[in-house]
Amino acid sequence: MIHLGLKTLLLKQLYTGKLSTSTLNKIPDQFRPAVIHGEEIAQIFGNDGMVRSFFKGFAVEGFEGFGRLPSDVLSRNPMLRSLFANEVNIFSARHYDSDVQLYEKFTAKTGIKVNVVSGKSGALEKRIAEEGADSQADLYITADAGRLGAFAGNLQGGLTSDAIKSAVPSNFRTSKWVGIAKRARIVYFAPERVSGAELAGLTYESLADPKWKGRLVIRASNNIYNQSLVASLIKNNGKAKVAEWSKGMVSNMARAPKGNDRAQILAVAAGEADVAVANTYYLALMLSGKKGPEQQAAAKKVKPFFPNQDGRGTHMNISGAGLVKGAPNKANAIKLVEFLLSEEAQNHIVNNTFEYPMIAGISPHPLVVNMGLDFKQDLKTKVVNYGKNQADALAAMTGAGWK
């Protein structure tokens, strides 16, 4: 039987008038779509009745007299229309110029044009939700599994190809969204003020211990990275314990939460606090000098520590891609995700964003390698729980007075 992909290609060529029936008849029988099954039509074109009617008796009548697909069918059927497009539309909350370079590599390899709409995650999500069935978004790319999980109602299944499943561990993906890179949320400390004995066996849970009173800095409760961290704690410890933990965290803060992750690292370097919680790639970014010599010098004054090494492991999160519901270019979107999980793309990502690779066999950037790669990652807690527990996480923090 002819491969469905080739059959699809031939039918597309017929519909658009690029392949005449006389030319088709010159194709060897084994490569011609002589038999067309109803389930194949549904798989290719959806369940549009007008499309199906064109194929009624098709195998019996042959190809003669088969004409172009009427324009009104194309205009009414986004799935059908997408078959003739050679593009993919990304709504991206990632702010890396290197991502654009990566999309250009994809286009060079496949001929599929990548259209990018950039913006803050909240604004992009609002636009996709409001546009609904009229949205042209195929993929929503953003940082944090909690954000993707909370937005899952606007996403659809389909990211289940063998290439995706073999590349991404099951705890870092669902059928609607998959991780394309990893990051760890860890502790940074001032080596001259924090002893090895204090750090021994340190966990996220033990940051609420009174010994850290007045010594801790961390971002605000509305920060998605914190919400996902706390959501993971709820998954592992329960809501009641995390509510008490949040109170201990607030009591231990050296100042009211303010600034981004780099601001927390800078506070430790400046002596305003002894320990900070921040994502790994921020220290590497500062050490690289891309944020200026002052931040580079500050980053050299702190050291990283990976919590929960005696238990489930260090909290891991992702940058991920979600397949938008009603994506007009679904097939191309899946191809792009598969490309992002290739060795070429993963090497490009880690060497430009300082994240950890999602796939095995890729080394992170040397500045990340220097932070240590032998730490135990939390591969027990599925990141889908970050979205599920997000509301409870925020409630626990705000209930404790976490600003």
Side-chain angles (χ1 to χ4, degrees):
M1 179 182 290
I2 184 173
H3 189 276
L4 181 59
L6 180 55
K7 185 179 291 187
T8 300
L9 177 62
L10 292 173
L11 294 175
K12 283 168 58 178
Q13 296 293 307
L14 272 173
Y15 283 154
T16 55
K18 296 178 181 178
L19 179 66
S20 67
T21 54
S22 60
T23 302
L24 182 63
N25 287 330
K26 296 177 182 178
I27 298 175
D29 289 344
Q30 67 266 34
F31 297 120
R32 290 173 54 190
V35 179
I36 302 173
H37 300 282
E39 63 267 26
E40 291 176 341
I41 300 304
Q43 184 175 344
I44 298 170
F45 301 113
N47 290 312
D48 189 295
M50 290 186 67
V51 175
R52 293 177 67 86
S53 70
F54 274 93
F55 291 92
K56 190 175 182 179
F58 191 75
V60 177
E61 299 297 332
F63 297 99
E64 294 302 325
F66 193 80
R68 290 174 64 91
L69 191 67
S71 59
D72 63 318
V73 176
L74 285 174
S75 64
R76 289 188 305 99
N77 193 320
M79 184 182 295
L80 179 58
R81 188 171 63 247
S82 72
L83 289 172
F84 309 116
N86 204 27
E87 63 183 10
V88 62
N89 302 316
I90 297 175
F91 279 42
S92 178
R94 280 169 61 92
H95 51 271
Y96 301 106
D97 291 338
S98 58
D99 282 4
V100 175
Q101 298 165 6
L102 195 56
Y103 303 147
E104 291 172 349
K105 291 184 178 182
F106 174 73
T107 298
K109 280 182 170 292
T110 65
I112 299 171
K113 180 184 178 183
V114 180
N115 304 311
V116 182
V117 175
S118 299
K120 291 186 178 297
S121 54
L124 294 175
E125 291 173 7
K126 183 173 184 290
R127 177 174 170 181
I128 292 172
E130 288 181 348
E131 291 180 350
D134 293 327
S135 176
Q136 292 301 300
D138 295 307
L139 286 176
Y140 173 45
I141 297 181
T142 189
D144 203 276
R147 194 180 300 282
L148 286 164
F151 196 61
N154 295 281
L155 305 176
Q156 64 172 317
L159 297 177
T160 55
S161 70
D162 290 342
I164 291 173
K165 290 194 290 186
S166 64
V168 183
S170 60
N171 57 308
F172 293 126
R173 59 176 163 84
T174 72
S175 65
K176 294 182 176 182
W177 51 264
V178 300
I180 57 174
K182 294 185 292 186
R183 61 271 302 279
R185 193 152 186 78
I186 67 170
V187 171
Y188 295 94
F189 67 96
E192 70 277 10
R193 299 190 300 277
V194 179
S195 67
E198 287 182 298
L199 291 171
L202 179 72
T203 64
Y204 299 104
E205 290 85 349
S206 68
L207 286 173
D209 190 289
K211 76 178 182 181
W212 298 112
K213 188 173 181 65
R215 304 174 69 187
L216 168 71
V217 286
I218 189 169
R219 288 176 76 160
S221 59
N222 65 359
N223 173 249
I224 188 65
Y225 305 151
N226 281 345
Q227 290 175 14
S228 289
L229 171 60
V230 177
S232 75
L233 293 175
I234 289 175
K235 174 62 178 176
N236 287 286
N237 301 299
K239 290 191 286 186
K241 287 185 178 179
V242 172
E244 288 302 310
W245 172 85
S246 297
K247 294 176 183 177
M249 291 289 285
V250 172
S251 178
N252 288 345
M253 291 180 186
R255 66 181 188 191
K258 63 178 182 179
N260 57 21
D261 272 20
R262 284 181 286 116
Q264 315 313 310
I265 296 171
L266 289 169
V268 173
E272 298 175 34
D274 293 342
V275 292
V277 177
N279 287 350
T280 42
Y281 55 87
Y282 283 111
L283 182 67
L285 176 63
M286 295 167 71
L287 288 170
S288 73
K290 291 183 177 181
K291 291 299 177 180
E294 290 185 4
Q295 290 199 19
Q296 185 179 43
K300 293 178 180 179
K301 295 180 180 180
V302 306
K303 299 292 182 183
F305 186 88
F306 295 86
N308 292 70
Q309 291 302 286
D310 297 331
R312 64 185 178 275
T314 294
H315 173 76
M316 303 300 294
N317 210 324
I318 63 166
S319 287
L323 186 61
V324 179
K325 189 179 292 184
N329 304 289
K330 182 177 179 179
N332 287 346
I334 295 171
K335 288 178 184 177
L336 177 55
V337 172
E338 291 174 345
F339 171 75
L340 293 175
L341 294 168
S342 68
E343 288 188 9
E344 176 185 6
Q346 290 283 293
N347 273 308
H348 180 97
I349 290 171
V350 301
N351 283 301
N352 283 280
T353 68
F354 306 107
E355 294 170 285
Y356 294 102
M358 181 54 67
I359 70 173
I362 303 296
S363 178
H365 189 282
L367 288 172
V368 177
V369 173
N370 290 341
M371 295 170 66
L373 296 180
D374 58 348
F375 68 96
K376 181 180 180 181
Q377 300 182 23
D378 180 4
L379 301 179
K380 168 191 171 186
T381 310
K382 289 191 174 183
V383 297
V384 69
N385 291 293
Y386 303 170
K388 291 179 179 178
N389 294 329
Q390 189 177 96
D392 289 334
L394 182 58
M397 288 188 283
T398 56
W402 190 326
K403 295 182 179 179

